[in-house]
Amino acid sequence: MPAELDSLVHTLSEPPAGIAWAWALERNVAAPLESQVLRTIAAVPKRLPTPGELWLWFAEPLATRSNEFLPHLDLGEQARVFRFHDEANRWTCAAARAGLRALLAGMLGATPQSLSFVSGRKGKLLLPSAPIHFNVSHTRGLVAIAISGSQVGIDVEPVRMTTDLMDIARLAFAPEMQAALHDCRDETLQARMFFRFWTLGEAYIKATGEGISQGLASFIFERDAAKLARASPGWGPASRWRFHAGAPGDR
């Protein structure tokens, strides 16, 4: 199964240029952390990660069709794939869930089809049969998966130059983050800062499992670092969390 899926995707060492991405991990900033990007699905360790380990997987399409992933999905996942009207988004959705099944099955010594997922209280995907935390994000043509022994979230977003970034920021960000964006007069740098704030926030609320009910303005990220200046009430202190934000212009 892992080798078969590896032949259907192009595994990446990091997301491509033009993509903002971030992960959040419930791991004290003073505690040791080992992170690695999995180069293939078959290379996944044959064990569960510890709370101090973070494993990442990024993939983009090869010349494959979404229907090639369908045998690896359950009926509910197949139905989710076909809710998308275009093939590119179908591929991304199918590859994300098939990749997740293959990675977790490799760690657990199970078959991908034997895994049974449930949705948590706020909709976060869980695997009740194993003490493992994971999160999935995908955008058109890119899949990202984070797996750890600690609560984890990941987000990927294409950086878009739009004229309404400040309007969105006023609805979604704390006043301090709005001010940081307002002070950035270069449009390109402002867009990068916006999507860094956005992906960090998404990763954070996905890691906690609270989603938007956590309150998008309930936390503050520092303007120049992937670090909380203020944690959400009930999810602090800020030092409880580790973050990383990938720069969209790196490649």
Side-chain angles (χ1 to χ4, degrees):
M1 169 69 172
E4 181 180 349
L5 275 186
D6 277 326
S7 70
L8 299 179
V9 301
H10 176 214
T11 301
L12 304 170
S13 59
E14 62 180 345
I19 298 293
W21 61 281
W23 53 254
L25 187 73
E26 189 179 20
R27 180 74 172 171
N28 190 281
V29 295
L33 174 65
E34 295 183 9
S35 63
Q36 65 169 304
V37 177
L38 301 173
R39 302 295 178 167
T40 63
I41 294 175
V44 66
K46 309 306 180 188
R47 60 176 179 83
L48 296 179
T50 68
E53 291 180 306
L54 172 64
W55 299 335
L56 304 169
W57 182 70
F58 304 106
E60 63 182 5
L62 287 176
T64 53
R65 304 288 293 176
S66 59
N67 60 11
E68 296 182 63
F69 294 101
L70 297 183
H72 310 297
L73 308 179
D74 66 23
L75 293 178
E77 291 165 336
Q78 292 178 24
R80 180 187 295 268
V81 169
F82 285 110
R83 291 189 191 125
F84 291 97
H85 298 295
D86 64 287
E87 173 57 22
N89 284 321
R90 284 182 178 180
W91 187 97
T92 305
C93 179
R97 191 56 66 90
L100 177 65
R101 283 184 172 275
L103 290 167
L104 295 178
M107 297 173 196
L108 294 167
T111 61
Q113 292 84 356
S114 70
L115 303 182
S116 180
F117 299 104
V118 299
S119 293
R121 180 172 53 93
K122 299 291 179 65
K124 186 175 183 179
L125 198 64
L126 305 171
L127 185 65
S129 61
I132 190 170
H133 299 276
F134 55 88
N135 195 236
V136 177
S137 182
H138 54 79
T139 188
R140 188 183 180 95
L142 177 67
V143 174
I145 295 175
I147 303 172
S148 179
S150 299
Q151 291 197 89
V152 66
I154 192 167
D155 190 52
V156 292
E157 299 284 347
V159 175
R160 302 177 294 276
M161 301 294 294
T162 64
T163 58
D164 60 349
L165 290 183
M166 286 306 304
D167 292 334
I168 299 171
R170 280 187 280 271
L171 294 173
F173 295 159
E176 293 85 349
M177 293 163 64
Q178 295 176 38
L181 283 167
H182 183 268
D183 292 343
C184 187
R185 299 303 182 182
D186 182 282
E187 290 185 355
T188 299
L189 295 179
Q190 186 186 65
R192 289 185 180 183
M193 181 184 289
F194 174 92
F195 283 101
R196 179 165 60 84
F197 283 163
W198 184 273
T199 53
L200 284 167
E202 284 287 309
Y204 184 31
I205 65 176
K206 292 172 76 176
T208 65
E210 292 295 311
I212 60 173
S213 67
Q214 185 169 326
L216 298 178
S218 68
F219 51 84
I220 303 168
F221 283 99
E222 296 186 1
R223 69 171 65 197
D224 297 318
K227 182 179 178 181
L228 278 174
R230 184 186 74 201
S232 300
W235 290 102
S239 60
R240 173 179 173 180
W241 295 90
R242 301 277 278 272
F243 298 89
H244 175 81
D250 281 350
R251 292 176 60 196

